[in-house]
Amino acid sequence: MDDIAANQQSHACAHSATHRKATHPLDSLTADEILTVTRVVHNHPEFGTDVLFETVELREPTKAEVRAFNPGDRFKRQARAAVFRRGGIGVWRLVVSIAEEEIVSIDHLPDARPMIQLEEFMVIEDMVKSDPDFIAACKKRGVGDLSLVCVDPWSAGNFGIEGEEGRHLCHTFAWLRTREFDNLYAHPIEGLNAVVDIKTGEVIRIDDYGVTPVPMAEHNYESRFQSQVRDHLKPIDVVQPEGVSFKLTGRHITWHDWSMVIGFNVRESLSLHDIRFGDRPVLYRASLAEMVVPYGSPKNGHFRKSVFDVGEYGIGKLVNSLELGCDCLGAIQYLDVDINDMYGKIFRIPKAICIHEEDHGILWKHTDFRTEVTEVRRARRLVISSIATVGNYEYAMYWYFYLDGTIEFEMKATGILNTVAGEPSAPDKYATEVAPGVFGQIHQHVFCARLDLAIDGDENSVVECNTHAEPPGDDNPYGNAFYEEETVLKTEQAAARRIKPEHQRYWKFINSGKTNFMGKPVGYKLDPSHCVMPFMAEDSPSGKRAAFTQNHLWVTAYNPEERYPAGEYMNHSDGTDGLVGFIADDGNVEDTDIVAWHTFGLHHQPRLEDFPVQPCISSGFKLMPSGFFDRNPCLDLPAQANRASCNAGAAMEPG
Ligand code: NI
């Protein structure tokens, strides 16, 4: 990179100022607003200063209020706060007026449990490591130095096990380091789990399933452990000498014809609001609203592993502070986020959100072979991303916006396999042995995106598209014929659907009140390219809680209180809240305000190559305009050739 480009690029990399003011009604809460909420709650006679905060987030205004907003307008904001107390279960759901500095409503849910809090992770580890039965069980396995033992707190689920009812529990797994910085996941302490009551601070049970030797060979990935690092790769620099093509006003971004508000909350991390192409709305809100990682082994305590990282932990609080040139390449705009910690103070994550543009190969091309005229346009995309670390795993979330009106979500999973120990070379039907005595169990990562649709307005419908082969006969004499059939899914229960690869099934969201050039309803298609089939029994304890995995598409009539596919308070849930409940009244979803929920994910039979650290594996979906535009909307793009590109002939050995 030459000096001028480097200099200009460094200006483009400056990250956001620290004292943010909300400039749009859908902006996530600012630090000052969060502190106002926690102060109001602490000062309230019913709560006081010992109350703890699960979430403090924007209570989104009504759609009508948002639509009436013009830049520069003043607006009043409300927050949702979920608070809890030490010593017992139950959650208080509050609505707090920030302007009036008062609690507007209090809803006490006596059986609800808050998410497991980041602040509790190390407390739980210390609690387990000082339990005499746990220490004795470690000793039986030849582990005497507890300072090298690591205990991960997993959500406990809801299995109806005696003594667990009515508590707020976590269930732990244990690992060992051989020395400082050593990869603990290479040394699982198998068959040793603790059941911990987070509220009362007790270890209520140690589950010891018997001794399996701890595999002691080191398998490290950190650079400090690599004896050699290769230097065969020459730099690739992404240079935008004239700066970036997007513009941020507060948290409102515009790029190409796209515009939206970038939100963030403790539970989901990124949320995107009022997504428009030109002046045409496409989505009112989009987020990754839940995920579950069911493991396939019935052995020892592993049946309990069915963890909902969004609803049981809140991935917003687990988001990384990103590093320029490592996590994000090129001219990067970072956004810091401020969220609440458990005590009601500000938990700031600098550089939590990364915004940049990426070249994306060619967008379209044609050569008229008779005239020899070639036209080619390059594609690029706007990328809005965050990366969360949840225990051993990383979830990297990317929202992509393309020049041609396509929206894509990609989830990259990386980090370290959840390992278990077994007898070296012994067959394990439910796992791959990734190193002698170290096994990675078959599992899935199943995600659910909540897509509040606004295809050219709020009144939308969903259409299922199935392709059929025409039976051979008089109308199909040569047997080649096939066609697509469209069916409107009119009610919530009719719209709970799975993919059907033999029919190339996909779904289209349309606005029948708005027509395109050909007189047909404008629409967007959902390309369900990464669906996974559920393998948990539907009526099993974890299967009921993960009922959203039973369908790849769900459509519900808009209800601002229906936010999460597995339910609002789903830690220890029994599965009664969530999508199955939302569609119980089988409401109309035709020509009305609807929300689509798309279930997709990764089916993960571990490979040797996934250990000791896993290269990204990826899943996601696309929303593509389908009759939304009258023709390819990218004819007016300039046909520029990239000036920094050059002939790499120097790399070729003279023949
Ligand atoms: Ni996996």
Side-chain angles (χ1 to χ4, degrees), residues 393 417 443 445 604 614 617:
Y393 248 90
L417 289 172
H443 62 279
H445 305 256
H604 195 186
Q614 177 184 304
I617 53 176

Side-chain angles (χ1 to χ4, degrees), residues 116 287 309 395:
I116 298 175
S287 66
D309 297 89
Y395 292 104

Side-chain angles (χ1 to χ4, degrees), residues 491-493 555-557 559 562 579-588:
T491 68
E492 290 176 321
Q493 288 177 14
V555 182
T556 55
N559 176 343
E562 292 176 352
L579 279 165
V580 174
F582 301 166
I583 70 166
D585 62 345
D586 201 21
N588 171 54

Side-chain angles (χ1 to χ4, degrees), residues 301-363:
H302 302 293
F303 70 91
R304 290 190 93 127
K305 291 193 301 202
S306 197
V307 58
F308 296 70
D309 297 89
V310 176
E312 291 178 335
Y313 293 91
I315 53 170
K317 211 162 167 179
L318 304 177
V319 151
N320 299 174
S321 188
L322 299 169
E323 197 164 329
L324 187 65
C326 302
D327 292 301
C328 327
L329 187 69
I332 304 299
Q333 178 71 47
Y334 285 115
L335 298 177
D336 301 342
V337 303
D338 290 314
I339 50 180
N340 64 288
D341 76 4
M342 187 169 84
Y343 306 103
K345 299 205 162 48
I346 295 300
F347 182 70
R348 161 159 294 191
I349 308 173
K351 301 184 183 179
I353 302 170
C354 168
I355 304 167
H356 72 291
E357 293 173 278
E358 274 177 7
D359 180 84
H360 194 61
I362 63 165
L363 172 63

